[in-house]
Amino acid sequence: MRTFGSILAFLRGFFGLTTAEVAAEAGVTEGTVIRLEEGLLLELSFIDVIRINRAMAQRLRQVDKALLTPEISGFLEHLDYLAMPDEHGPPSPGGVSIQRFRIFADPMVKDLLDVFLGLPRERRGVLLEMLRTVAGELAS
């Protein structure tokens, strides 16, 4: 958190922003920004970290890309993945609301995993063998 705070202080100075401006852009309190920069804030919620990072990322996107390191470019791309749906909600992966976020393209994969994970560990192998047998028959 101290390193994060020192980077924030550097970027704030580089962009000529006040702590109040950073706080307003990030949607956090000015006290949070001040304590973070001074190395006094050792714990910060994930959402506030993302909000501060996204606020600074907006500014970094205005800098000539040739001046940025590949790590910063990758960091900016990563932050695009964590789009904020509004100022007060949780981050949304890829801009998709968390209620609609899915891991698997086929929703039946989750159903299958729910059945598998709902069994005691020692019985899961039996289900897997049965599925392999049935899947082999269905495929032929």
Side-chain angles (χ1 to χ4, degrees), residues 5-6 10 12 19 26 35 39 42 50 55 61-62 70-71 82 85-86 97 99-100 105-106 112 119 128 136 139:
S6 67
F10 171 79
R12 184 178 61 76
T19 54
R35 289 191 318 277
L42 302 180
I50 295 300
R61 285 186 178 89
Q62 299 169 10
E71 292 82 13
L82 294 171
D86 59 42
S97 74
Q99 290 80 13
R100 294 183 320 157
D106 187 330
L112 185 60
L119 292 174
L128 193 55

Side-chain angles (χ1 to χ4, degrees), residues 57-115:
Q58 288 299 98
R59 296 290 180 145
L60 282 167
R61 285 186 178 89
Q62 299 169 10
V63 174
D64 183 350
K65 289 184 184 207
L67 298 175
L68 301 177
T69 65
E71 292 82 13
I72 290 296
S73 297
F75 174 72
L76 294 175
E77 287 178 26
H78 177 72
L79 285 176
D80 286 340
Y81 177 74
L82 294 171
M84 300 296 277
D86 59 42
E87 293 179 1
H88 304 290
S92 297
V96 175
S97 74
I98 202 71
Q99 290 80 13
R100 294 183 320 157
F101 185 73
R102 294 184 323 178
I103 295 172
F104 304 106
D106 187 330
M108 287 190 279
V109 172
K110 183 187 177 310
D111 293 341
L112 185 60
L113 282 172
D114 286 343
V115 169

Side-chain angles (χ1 to χ4, degrees), residues 1 8 11 23 28 49 62 95 120:
M1 291 308 287
L8 175 60
L11 288 174
V28 299
V49 169
Q62 299 169 10

